[in-house]
Structure formats: structure tokens, C-alpha cells
Amino acid sequence: MGKTTFVGAVSEIVPLTTEAVMTDASAGIDDVGLTPHKTTTTVAMDFGRVSLDQDLILYLFGTPGQHRFWFMWDDLVRGAIGAVVLVDTRRLADSFPAVDYFEEAQLPFVVGLNGFGGHHPHSENEVREALTLSSHVPVVRTDARNRDSVKGTLITLVEHALTMRVAVPDGNRA
Amino acid sequence: MAGGGWSNEPYPPVDDAHRYYGGSTNPGQSTPPPSPERSSLVRPYAVTGGRTAARLQLAMEALVSSATSIHQDLSILTPERQAISSLCRQVRSVAEISALLRMPLGVVRVVVGDMAAEGLVHVHQPQLDAGKPDLNLLERVLSGLRRL
């Protein structure tokens, strides 16, 4: 929810869309075989880029949160710094799969409460409890339309990734 | 915005000649609606000779730059390779090539992998430490973000 807006708020380019092909294998047991002329499904993924230095470019990829898109996440998490789980507090349950996935993948993530017009109906603690997040996972309020807010969320994520790298050696995660 | 050099230049317009897979082709011609075969995604893999596995494990964010000179005659290359060579005069990620040329990611990976093997492009893969960005990279990203 608000992924493309979030990416667009800091991206130096209008977010681009690339297509990944969901094959029968990645779609699992699916009904694609029943549709003549349709053996694959494409999934759009938006992304933006931020040049941080002469030789350093940060790419931000926005992918849908539902289970069936996990095949794309497997590709994305390899080499990724971390993830921002953008949460609409009116639909908290939508975020369960993403949280599960990143915990399992041991990818640093922060939870961003996307408040429209600065409206946040639930507190950080309520969300933390509802998502049963470990105490070290940052929960921040963010506004996907606001550049400074998005920038702040990304800084929190990278700080968190650094903290986890320094504090928690591989395979010994709390 | 921090940075400079190639990284900050805007995209040149991508003309229609590059858009092999982007919907309607054959402008000016009244063509029948595309046949099922043409609208399926099997077609793009024809340019890879049907291969779906790339020679290189290319990350979506891997950067690609053209190794051919602007004076070199690219007309001997396939249209896909010409398009990638021209586009990557500015450094682009694999994801950008896919988006700007409207080629599925998997196809871009195969073609770029082949082009790298033949010396047509340089590929700059992200520097990873056991599959994760190394500490130095994280610190650079952090200070870069703070400067934005």
C-alpha cells in the first residue's frame, strides 16, 4: 500500500516498472495450465533509484505483499540491505506474510506505518503487539508522499541493518 | 541530490524503435489483433534461443555499461543487443534495461549474460560479503542518505 508513492518520494527518476515472469514452477499448483495460450503470468514491480555518490546507486524495489509474489522476493533479498514493510494500520493482517517472510529470510526490516495526512489511528506499540514483532525491529511512522519522511525511514532501516550486522553474527539471531 | 557523473544524468527519451515488447507495433498499418502466440510471453524468449538460464547470476541491481564505442557499427548485432548497447552508454541496472526496453527480466539476464561473455558490455555486480552487503557499503549508503 503506497509502495510506488514511497519509492517515488526519493527516487531521482519517475519509478519504472519491470516485469517478472511467474512460471508454473514459481506459481506452484495453479490453474495456468487450464488457460490456453497462457502458460505464464507476469508480475509488475516498480522501482526507483537514488544516486548516493559518483559510484554508488541505491535501488528501491516495491513489490506486493501477498504470498504469491514471494518468488520475486527470493530474488530481491539476495544482496539487499533490508526491507521496509509499509503497513496500513486499518489492514494490519495484510502485513503478516511480509513480516513472516523477512524474519525467516533474516533480512533486516523496519515497519513503516503509512499515515495518510498524518493520521495514525494506531500507536507503534499496538502495531508491534499485533504483528508480534521482536523488540529490536524498529516501528516508525512515515508518510509515503513526503520525501523527508521517506528518507528518514530509509535511514532508520540502514542504521538497523548496520546494528544487526555488528551485534548479531550470522546464524545467531535472537 | 548527491552524486554526479553518469549517475545523475536524466534518461534520454527511449524511442519506439526500442520497444519490442511494448504493446502495439506496426504503426500506420491496420493489423489484425495480435494472435495468441504473439501476445504470450513465449515470444520474448525467442531472442534467447529458448534459454531461460543466464550465464551469469545477474542481480536485478547489477550495473551494465556498454563496452562498444559510439563509432562502432552495431548493425551486425541483433536488435535486442543494439538496443542494450545504446542504452548502456549510460550505466544502467538490469532492472532499468528491462523496464526501459520492455523486455522481461529473465530475457534481459540471458542476453546481458551473453553480451558480457562476448565483451560487448561490462557488468558491475554488487559487492557482497556472504550474500549480504558488506559493512563498508552499508556505511556509505547511510552517509549518502543523510546527505540527500
Side-chain angles (χ1 to χ4, degrees), chain B:
Chain B
M1 191 72 55
W6 42 261
S7 52
N8 253 3
E9 290 167 31
Y11 288 110
V14 178
D15 66 52
D16 285 343
H18 290 154
R19 304 189 176 225
Y20 301 104
Y21 310 109
S24 70
T25 48
N26 299 332
Q29 243 178 294
S30 61
T31 46
S35 62
E37 289 83 357
R38 295 203 67 201
S39 63
S40 98
L41 269 156
V42 174
R43 171 69 184 97
Y45 280 95
V47 309
T48 69
R51 285 177 303 136
T52 56
R55 294 185 192 205
L56 292 171
Q57 271 267 352
L58 277 179
M60 266 183 258
E61 70 276 19
L63 297 175
V64 182
S65 61
S66 187
T68 51
S69 99
I70 198 157
H71 306 295
Q72 211 164 325
D73 179 19
L74 299 178
S75 64
I76 51 163
L77 302 177
T78 62
E80 293 78 19
R81 287 169 168 224
Q82 285 180 35
I84 292 172
S85 284
S86 312
L87 186 69
C88 295
R89 294 255 145 70
Q90 277 181 55
V91 175
R92 313 277 188 181
S93 62
V94 168
E96 284 168 279
I97 296 172
S98 162
L100 294 170
L101 299 183
R102 309 261 176 105
M103 289 166 77
L105 266 179
V107 175
V108 172
R109 283 179 159 142
V110 173
V111 177
V112 167
D114 289 351
M115 290 177 75
E118 292 169 38
L120 293 168
V121 293
H122 298 299
V123 172
H124 316 268
Q125 294 265 41
Q127 297 208 326
L128 300 182
D129 171 15
K132 296 176 181 173
D134 66 27
L135 279 180
N136 175 47
L137 182 64
L138 289 179
E139 277 158 7
R140 286 193 65 201
V141 170
L142 186 56
S143 53
L145 282 171
R146 285 182 173 144
R147 278 198 309 268
L148 274 185

